Amino acid sequence: VFSDSIRKQLRITGPFKESTEYKLIIPANSFINLTGQANDTLRYSWRTKSLKDYGELKVNLSFKTPGNYILQILNNKDIIVRQSQVSGNTNLSFLYLDPGEYRLKLIFDKNNNGQWDTGHYIKKSQAERVSFFTKTLEIRGNWELEETWELID
């Protein structure tokens, strides 16, 4: 299935089973670009992980002040792994996380657009506030970690 309107990204779905090896072969001339060039034969192989290879993180958020927020899970390279928009006290569960160290980042989304906005000098607006959870979280395979984050401010 193509996942975009210009048919540039292909998404492969199926009833994949855990701990199973798969191979995908795309024959030559299956795809043709705008200039008429076609692909060579493409071969991909991968192995699905076992459910025991993943961890789960449960985050209980409580806010003193209701509002719009974005909770992000960052890996040890500060890359966003998952994110969720919340508007008040909530319990979130993040499944299928690879083992490793993670950090939690909370964005105070004033304009509720689902992203962090920088400040604007001419409009005299400040950047949206950001807060980090004080602990680094270690996710282990076949484990569930539960954390509570109470935001006072």
Side-chain angles (χ1 to χ4, degrees), residues 13 22 40 51 55 59 66 93 102 107 121 125 129 133 139 146:
T13 61
Y22 292 93
D40 290 334
L51 291 177
V59 180
S93 185
Y102 295 90
I107 300 170
Y121 181 76
S125 65
R129 285 186 28 224
F133 191 57
I139 302 295
E146 186 168 351

Side-chain angles (χ1 to χ4, degrees), residues 29-40:
N29 302 319
S30 294
F31 301 108
I32 300 172
N33 69 9
L34 294 174
T35 62
Q37 296 174 322
N39 67 290
D40 290 334

Side-chain angles (χ1 to χ4, degrees), residues 60-88:
N60 304 316
L61 289 172
S62 62
F63 302 96
K64 184 177 180 183
T65 308
N68 299 310
Y69 303 93
I70 303 167
L71 177 70
Q72 296 179 335
I73 300 176
L74 308 173
N75 66 12
N76 59 358
K77 296 178 182 174
D78 282 340
I79 296 172
I80 300 168
V81 176
R82 306 271 175 86
Q83 83 174 20
S84 183
Q85 289 184 259
V86 296
S87 59

Side-chain angles (χ1 to χ4, degrees), residues 15 24 29-30 40 42 47-49 52 83 98-99 104-105 110 116 118 130 139 144 147-148:
L24 173 66
N29 302 319
S30 294
D40 290 334
L42 304 170
R47 182 173 188 78
T48 57
K49 293 183 178 181
K52 294 178 183 179
Q83 83 174 20
D98 286 321
L104 296 178
K105 176 180 177 181
K110 288 190 295 190
W116 179 76
T118 62
V130 173
I139 302 295
E144 178 183 298
E147 288 291 339
T148 299

Side-chain angles (χ1 to χ4, degrees), residues 1-151:
V1 176
F2 286 99
S3 59
D4 62 342
S5 61
I6 58 173
R7 301 174 65 89
K8 205 173 173 186
Q9 294 181 351
L10 188 63
R11 184 183 63 196
I12 299 170
T13 61
F16 296 115
K17 297 179 182 176
E18 64 177 299
S19 300
T20 306
E21 190 169 321
Y22 292 93
K23 292 183 181 183
L24 173 66
I25 300 172
I26 300 173
N29 302 319
S30 294
F31 301 108
I32 300 172
N33 69 9
L34 294 174
T35 62
Q37 296 174 322
N39 67 290
D40 290 334
T41 300
L42 304 170
R43 291 180 176 85
Y44 298 97
S45 61
W46 69 93
R47 182 173 188 78
T48 57
K49 293 183 178 181
S50 168
L51 291 177
K52 294 178 183 179
D53 294 335
Y54 296 104
E56 178 180 354
L57 173 62
K58 291 185 176 183
V59 180
N60 304 316
L61 289 172
S62 62
F63 302 96
K64 184 177 180 183
T65 308
N68 299 310
Y69 303 93
I70 303 167
L71 177 70
Q72 296 179 335
I73 300 176
L74 308 173
N75 66 12
N76 59 358
K77 296 178 182 174
D78 282 340
I79 296 172
I80 300 168
V81 176
R82 306 271 175 86
Q83 83 174 20
S84 183
Q85 289 184 259
V86 296
S87 59
N89 297 345
T90 188
N91 300 322
L92 299 170
S93 185
F94 298 96
L95 305 173
Y96 310 116
L97 291 171
D98 286 321
E101 291 186 348
Y102 295 90
R103 295 186 328 147
L104 296 178
K105 176 180 177 181
L106 190 76
I107 300 170
F108 297 78
D109 192 15
K110 288 190 295 190
N111 58 3
N112 198 24
N113 67 348
Q115 65 184 19
W116 179 76
D117 294 309
T118 62
H120 195 283
Y121 181 76
I122 295 172
K123 294 180 181 177
K124 298 181 181 177
S125 65
Q126 295 288 323
E128 291 179 325
R129 285 186 28 224
V130 173
S131 183
F132 288 90
F133 191 57
T134 55
K135 294 175 14 183
T136 299
L137 307 174
E138 184 178 350
I139 302 295
R140 298 179 186 173
N142 204 27
W143 280 73
E144 178 183 298
L145 178 63
E146 186 168 351
E147 288 291 339
T148 299
W149 192 0
E150 298 177 10
L151 286 115

